[in-house]
Amino acid sequence: GRERQLDHRRLHVRDARARGAHGFGYDPLFLVDGAGGRSMAEMNETEKNSLSHRRQAVNGLVAFLQQRG
């Protein structure tokens, strides 16, 4: 089989203080490039999905599969 790598954003732990009430796990600790300095737990679901590396990977996989027909 062939291997494909899809681009994704990096998550940074810049602040050890948990912030925000949304999400789960480490979301209160992760600050994401492009999120205006907010943690993942401070964003609504639409914002999180627009920055989520998992969402981007799924979108990339869907596009790849659609190209293959």
Side-chain angles (χ1 to χ4, degrees):
R2 293 169 44 193
E3 185 175 307
R4 298 274 179 183
Q5 181 175 350
L6 304 174
D7 292 332
H8 62 277
R9 293 176 188 257
R10 294 197 182 269
L11 300 173
H12 302 280
V13 179
R14 296 185 195 146
D15 190 342
R17 294 172 293 174
R19 299 183 343 212
H22 306 289
F24 60 94
Y26 294 105
D27 284 356
L29 297 175
F30 286 130
L31 304 179
V32 183
D33 292 342
R38 293 177 295 156
S39 74
M40 291 291 283
E42 293 174 297
M43 292 187 263
N44 64 43
E45 187 174 340
T46 301
E47 292 173 308
K48 280 180 68 168
N49 282 339
S50 72
L51 297 170
S52 167
H53 66 284
R54 289 183 183 96
R55 171 63 67 178
Q56 291 177 6
V58 167
N59 289 347
L61 177 60
V62 168
F64 171 72
L65 293 174
Q66 287 175 338
Q67 288 175 357
R68 293 185 55 175

